[in-house]
Amino acid sequence: MILKETPLPKLCGQLFHKIENRTARVGVIGLGYVGLPLADAFAAGGYSVLGFDIDQTKIEKLKRGESYIGHITSERITDLIRTNRFDAVCDPHCFANADVIIICVPTPLNDYREPDLSYIEQTGRTIRAHLRPGQLVILESTTYPGTTQDLLRPILEESGLKAGIDFFLAFAPEREDPGNAEFATRDIPKVVGGINTVSRDLTVALYEKVMSRVVRVSSTGIAEACKILENTYRAVNIALVNELKILFDAMGIDIWEVIEAARTKPFGFQAFHPGPGLGGHCIPIDPFYLTWVARKFGMSTRFIELAGEINTAMPRYVVQRVADALNEQGKAIKTSKIAVLGVAYKKNINDPRESPAFTILELLQERGAQVSYNDPHIPTLPHMRHHSIQLDSSPLTSDFLKAQDCVLIVTDHSAYDFSWIVKNSRLIVDTRNATSGCDVNGCKIWKA
Ligand SMILES: NC(=O)c1ccc[n+]([C@@H]2O[C@H](COP(=O)([O-])OP(=O)(O)OC[C@H]3O[C@@H](n4cnc5c(N)ncnc54)[C@H](O)[C@@H]3O)[C@@H](O)[C@H]2O)c1
């Protein structure tokens, strides 16, 4: 709901001016996969950017000019710091100096698969302690419709300042697609909704300086719902092709060839591809924010639940395919040497969050396999919230591949030479259709 407008406050005019002449100081809270590229985009757009994170190791790395995000180079960070366009800090006091504060903190699920909003709440309290008249606060973290108005706004207003009048508040969802070389942060249109018109217009003015296109919507709720719709659309469509993959396989039909044929239709069909299960911080998580809020309205989100059920079952299907493939060779999973190629949740990135590779490795270990893995982007398996597997990436040599009873392709990084992998392996289970077109050379390939 848009507030009834009061006369344009002087504070707002001052901030417009600063945004316009690029003297506004931009603060980014949460320097992860979203926050760091965003800070980079604002610095590139001529703004002075202050990054804040509670993770001391990240701040130290940035201060040393080191990047921890695959597609942002250390040279870039060094250059930004050297030219005083970017500084990284752990001290929240500095936010009193920022004119704009953008929140990019995590929004995971808790153990009961309910939204864990503690990061937004904590950040809200941190901002509140230093909030001053005339500042613009923008939430970018993905969340359920209503969060900016009903959760963040009351926390910030405990400062005694009134949202939309003393300070400005908006939601502008992040649509970053890490590893996608086609679309950098600034190339992805930015959707913006404010708690009132002035909040929205300030936010639009800001993003227009650094983004190729800004899409204004009528409220923060619309902007929040837009992002959840996008991610739910992906989750549901991926579930559809995952389910069809299993059916088509039983019918002796290759789903990847079917999709390639279907996508030649110039309208009404968008290609989604099956895989070993969902991964990443967004698609497996965000739709369940909507499921949770739907319950408050006495409703259920059956598509989301069903998609979750199908996608979550994929790692078990993959392991069953490995068992079948080994069985055909007179072997069992127990004691077999199985190497997983690729543990990042998708190709060409170093992000392992929610990756199905972890569940697959655990299921194989439970069945007594001797597992190993290779991932050029992830040298050691990090400790995850739900998984703790201690393994280092094995060098990908022909001797390593030849020693395996089965090579399981989970993530099809571009760094992999699949023809060479096929040439040096005895048995491959391929969850990504990565070996399509490779000369089989006596290697047995199963798709999964
Ligand atoms: N990763 C993606 O591809 C992607 C895409 C679109 C949207 N999003 C959304 O963006 C948000 C951030 O995701 P991300 O992938 O960047 O997460 P991330 O875990 O990579 O980064 C979040 C950062 O916030 C920091 N942090 C946590 N609490 C903090 C606090 N109180 N104060 C300051 N810093 C704090 C963490 O230390 C971390 O560095 C999430 O809501 C996510 O759903 C992510």
Side-chain angles (χ1 to χ4, degrees):
M1 189 187 67
I2 297 281
L3 281 181
K4 196 161 175 282
E5 295 303 315
T6 51
L8 193 72
K10 193 169 150 224
L11 292 168
C12 156
Q14 286 169 350
L15 185 51
F16 263 123
H17 185 66
K18 282 185 170 182
I19 288 171
E20 212 43 48
N21 63 21
R22 298 180 202 248
T23 55
R25 193 136 204 242
V26 177
V28 176
I29 302 190
L31 298 171
Y33 287 92
V34 163
L36 194 58
L38 190 72
D40 180 24
F42 276 106
Y47 290 90
S48 162
V49 181
L50 192 61
F52 170 74
D53 203 293
I54 48 171
D55 185 340
Q56 183 90 38
T57 48
K58 281 188 179 152
I59 298 299
E60 282 165 9
K61 280 189 178 169
L62 292 171
K63 282 199 175 296
R64 286 197 301 268
E66 284 173 35
S67 173
Y68 40 80
I69 303 281
H71 57 290
I72 297 202
T73 63
S74 293
E75 290 71 39
R76 176 71 187 151
I77 300 293
T78 307
D79 183 47
L80 290 178
I81 291 195
R82 192 179 47 77
T83 52
N84 293 325
R85 283 177 289 165
F86 174 65
D87 193 13
V89 292
C90 263
D91 177 6
H93 284 90
C94 57
F95 278 107
N97 298 328
D99 298 295
V100 178
I101 300 172
I102 307 178
I103 305 171
C104 305
V105 297
T107 44
L109 294 172
N110 66 20
D111 289 344
Y112 304 100
R113 296 193 69 70
E114 290 170 347
D116 175 359
L117 294 161
S118 59
Y119 297 90
I120 293 183
E121 289 167 341
Q122 175 59 40
T123 306
R125 288 192 288 269
T126 305
I127 297 171
R128 181 187 65 201
H130 308 282
L131 194 65
R132 62 168 172 78
Q135 284 181 314
L136 168 64
V137 179
I138 304 167
L139 179 61
E140 285 223 4
S141 304
T142 309
T143 182
Y144 63 84
T147 310
T148 310
Q149 271 285 9
D150 304 337
L151 183 85
L152 185 58
R153 179 181 181 163
I155 295 175
L156 296 175
E157 287 191 332
E158 280 168 23
S159 63
L161 298 177
K162 194 97 188 84
I165 296 168
D166 301 320
F167 71 95
F168 311 101
L169 181 59
F171 183 81
E174 181 52 56
R175 298 159 121 185
E176 174 84 3
D177 184 16
N180 187 334
E182 231 176 293
F183 299 100
T185 304
R186 62 186 69 81
D187 303 324
I188 304 167
K190 196 81 183 164
V191 172
V192 172
I195 60 138
N196 63 349
T197 309
V198 76
S199 295
R200 183 189 62 189
D201 291 350
L202 280 165
T203 310
V204 168
L206 178 77
Y207 285 115
E208 274 180 346
K209 291 281 178 215
V210 293
M211 301 291 174
S212 56
R213 186 175 161 218
V214 179
V215 180
R216 52 185 86 204
V217 295
S218 61
S219 67
T220 50
I222 297 275
E224 288 159 337
C226 161
K227 172 69 190 181
I228 294 257
L229 167 65
E230 291 165 16
N231 285 0
T232 301
Y233 173 77
R234 282 190 66 74
V236 168
N237 279 288
I238 292 169
L240 175 68
V241 287
N242 275 337
E243 185 172 67
L244 292 182
K245 170 175 75 170
I246 298 170
L247 169 66
F248 287 168
D249 181 63
M251 298 166 75
I253 292 171
D254 183 324
I255 178 114
W256 282 277
E257 196 178 341
V258 174
I259 293 168
E260 280 314 298
R263 73 189 305 176
T264 60
K265 185 177 178 183
F267 50 86
F269 182 83
Q270 188 188 348
F272 285 85
H273 293 97
L278 290 184
H281 186 328
C282 299
I283 314 294
I285 292 173
D286 303 341
F288 291 97
Y289 270 59
L290 203 53
T291 300
W292 177 81
V293 82
R295 278 190 230 123
K296 285 192 178 180
F297 292 83
M299 295 190 193
S300 59
T301 52
R302 286 170 291 166
F303 272 106
I304 294 175
E305 299 283 3
L306 183 58
E309 207 179 290
I310 293 169
N311 289 327
T312 313
M314 293 317 292
R316 283 192 184 275
Y317 171 73
V318 170
V319 170
Q320 186 54 48
R321 292 289 285 172
V322 172
D324 294 346
L326 284 167
N327 186 56
E328 201 195 50
Q329 311 222 331
K331 294 179 184 173
I333 285 184
K334 197 177 176 96
T335 73
S336 281
K337 285 187 164 182
I338 302 173
V340 167
L341 299 192
V343 293
Y345 80 86
K346 67 172 182 174
K347 70 193 290 182
N348 304 341
I349 61 167
N350 65 350
D351 187 350
R353 289 177 298 175
E354 310 289 327
S355 171
F358 288 79
T359 308
I360 290 171
L361 281 164
E362 271 176 3
L363 289 170
L364 291 170
Q365 275 182 332
E366 276 167 22
R367 293 194 184 192
Q370 295 179 45
V371 294
S372 55
Y373 88 96
N374 170 274
D375 192 312
H377 302 283
I378 301 180
T380 300
L381 292 186
H383 177 77
M384 311 288 281
R385 281 201 315 162
H386 302 294
H387 309 279
S388 186
I389 310 169
Q390 286 177 353
L391 280 178
D392 292 331
S393 175
S394 301
L396 193 60
T397 62
S398 54
D399 285 348
F400 171 74
L401 289 173
K402 281 176 183 151
Q404 304 303 318
D405 295 297
C406 178
V407 171
L408 172 56
I409 299 169
V410 170
T411 311
D412 51 341
H413 292 305
S414 301
Y416 288 138
D417 177 348
F418 287 106
S419 296
W420 177 82
I421 289 167
V422 169
K423 202 168 145 202
N424 288 285
S425 305
R426 279 179 278 170
L427 174 65
I428 289 180
V429 175
D430 179 1
T431 68
R432 301 282 188 178
N433 200 31
T435 54
S436 154
C438 293
D439 194 351
V440 174
N441 261 335
C443 168
K444 277 267 178 205
I445 300 178
W446 285 57
K447 291 192 182 171

